[in-house]
Amino acid sequence: MSLLRHTSLRQRVILAALGLTLALPAWAGKTLDAIRERGKVQCGVSTGVAGFSAPDSQGRWTGLDVDVCRALAAAVLGDGDKVNFVPLNSQQRFTSLQSGQVDLLSRNTSWTLTRDASLGFHFAAVTYYDGQGFLVPKKLKVSSARQLRNAQVCIQSGTTTEKNLSDFSRSQGVPFKPVVYDSFEAAFKAFFSGRCQAYTTDASGLAILLNKEASHPEDYMILPELISKEPLGPLVRRGDDEWFAIVKWTVFALLEAEELGLTQGNIDSFRTSNSPSIQRFVGTGEDMGKLLGLDKAWSYRIVKTVGNYGEVYERNVGAKSLLKLPRGPNRLWSQGGLMYVPPIR
């Protein structure tokens, strides 16, 4: 809970008048206390979306969303492997977070007003800017989703994808015949078997299908339209502001590290830097961790464990991955992208 809540009214009035705040350690909060007691972060992930959260052939979870959880574990427990990954489908994910089964969801979930305002959650940050598109066989000879009139479209239930398709249909006057499946896997397998003329999901998911699931990728194409905005990121339960801040600033630290040029391989060489910004980040200068209820080296450990955001992106979904998705809007703001975060100071 906030330190100012434990400050008397008189003290708060005096501090407000002086324009001051108390720079003392934050209270840990119930979620962080529970995590420290159990020794692991309970992280809700997908049941398997390559590049974001999926187990590899040895059963080790990998992906951009997974690395967010490992970064959190490194920050709060000192070890990025102290995570229990809980696979959840679209229907399970929100009740699992509401019930306390998991400490956060990090599973390619879109930030919307409904989810943010009515389910008792806070979205902490955006880790991937996406948008919904369509995958079709080239033999259909269509170049736009507007040409898919009366087409059967395979789709996953319990997602924003369903509503976006309905909105697009009404606004463009193009009727579709949705064929709904409970899981991502069931939906795309139905599409590739010929059950539907099109498949729709986030553009990143379409790239996953082409690069990983299609037996003949050259027979398919992603249509040019993006029919929605899909900002993806981790979310937490309301009622624990300290945990919310920790999750938020963990994501911010990944991006700040990239801005500062700190990588998994070089961060140790910066521990003698004279730059105040770098000193704060690597834990040799002003103590930022105490404001989050963490130690001085929390952000150093994040980068030492998973690297900066650029490294996380490239190995999971970018040029060094099977998906080879361009950074696009997920570039840093200084490189023409949308990734802009508050400074760690």
Side-chain angles (χ1 to χ4, degrees):
M1 59 187 67
S2 169
L3 183 59
L4 288 179
R5 270 181 269 160
H6 289 272
T7 307
S8 71
L9 177 60
R10 182 181 177 186
Q11 286 173 312
R12 277 181 277 170
V13 171
I14 292 171
L15 288 169
L18 294 175
L20 300 175
T21 56
L22 289 175
L24 294 175
W27 291 82
K30 58 187 177 183
T31 305
L32 183 57
D33 284 342
I35 289 170
R36 285 173 168 162
E37 184 175 350
R38 89 168 75 94
K40 284 199 171 184
V41 175
Q42 294 282 104
C43 183
V45 292
S46 73
T47 53
V49 177
F52 289 88
S53 53
D56 63 18
S57 57
Q58 283 77 46
R60 179 176 171 81
W61 284 86
T62 63
L64 190 152
D65 290 336
V66 166
D67 279 345
V68 170
C69 298
R70 295 195 193 282
L72 267 170
V76 304
L77 296 173
D79 185 343
D81 287 329
K82 290 186 175 180
V83 185
N84 182 30
F85 295 103
V86 182
L88 302 168
N89 63 31
S90 296
Q91 291 74 35
Q92 296 168 326
R93 56 183 165 172
F94 297 132
T95 54
S96 294
L97 180 59
Q98 289 165 337
S99 69
Q101 180 187 3
V102 295
D103 301 314
L104 76 154
L105 286 181
S106 186
R107 60 159 323 282
N108 59 299
T109 298
S110 298
W111 188 339
T112 69
L113 186 151
T114 300
R115 291 171 175 177
D116 194 46
S118 67
L119 297 180
F121 302 143
H122 282 307
F123 279 81
V126 176
T127 53
Y128 190 91
Y129 287 98
D130 211 340
Q132 186 173 327
F134 292 84
L135 181 66
V136 298
K138 289 181 179 177
K139 66 182 181 181
L140 278 186
K141 299 187 184 302
V142 299
S143 57
S144 168
R146 294 172 180 82
Q147 296 173 278
L148 293 172
R149 179 174 292 274
N150 295 316
Q152 292 178 314
V153 181
C154 283
I155 196 168
Q156 183 183 355
S157 65
T159 64
T160 56
T161 311
E162 286 185 280
K163 293 182 179 179
N164 292 336
L165 182 65
S166 177
D167 287 351
F168 181 75
S169 175
R170 290 200 304 270
S171 66
Q172 299 298 316
V174 180
F176 298 108
K177 297 176 181 177
V179 182
V180 182
Y181 294 88
D182 288 338
S183 71
F184 177 65
E185 184 176 13
F188 76 69
K189 284 187 174 179
F191 167 70
F192 285 128
S193 72
R195 176 68 180 82
C196 305
Q197 286 81 49
Y199 180 82
T200 185
T201 191
D202 295 346
S204 60
L206 300 181
I208 290 167
L209 296 182
L210 274 183
N211 288 282
K212 189 173 171 53
E213 303 295 343
S215 55
H216 297 286
E218 67 278 4
D219 292 340
Y220 300 90
M221 65 180 291
I222 297 174
L223 296 177
E225 295 100 336
L226 289 180
I227 66 170
S228 70
K229 295 182 292 184
E230 303 295 334
L232 311 179
L235 53 158
V236 299
R237 286 181 300 280
R238 290 190 180 185
D240 190 336
D241 290 346
E242 287 71 30
W243 179 238
F244 174 41
I246 289 169
V247 176
K248 174 169 51 180
W249 283 96
T250 292
V251 175
F252 290 170
L254 291 168
L255 288 154
E256 178 84 349
E258 186 177 9
E259 285 198 37
L260 294 173
L262 304 176
T263 69
Q264 191 174 32
N266 73 17
I267 193 168
D268 284 326
S269 67
F270 282 91
R271 292 182 71 81
T272 57
S273 172
N274 293 322
S275 164
S277 295
I278 291 177
Q279 288 177 346
R280 285 191 292 270
F281 196 99
V282 301
T284 60
E286 186 181 359
D287 187 354
M288 297 288 98
K290 66 183 179 182
L291 301 176
L292 295 169
L294 305 177
D295 67 4
K296 203 171 182 180
W298 68 281
S299 48
Y300 162 81
R301 287 194 304 274
I302 287 173
V303 177
K304 193 65 179 173
T305 300
V306 301
N308 64 39
Y309 178 80
E311 292 177 286
V312 169
Y313 186 100
E314 292 304 321
R315 73 167 168 266
N316 289 304
V317 298
K320 296 180 181 178
S321 74
L322 288 173
L323 305 184
K324 303 192 184 308
L325 295 171
R327 281 284 292 263
N330 297 295
R331 296 189 302 270
L332 295 177
W333 65 278
S334 56
Q335 298 168 3
L338 297 177
M339 290 299 187
Y340 182 102
V341 298
I344 296 177
R345 63 172 307 134

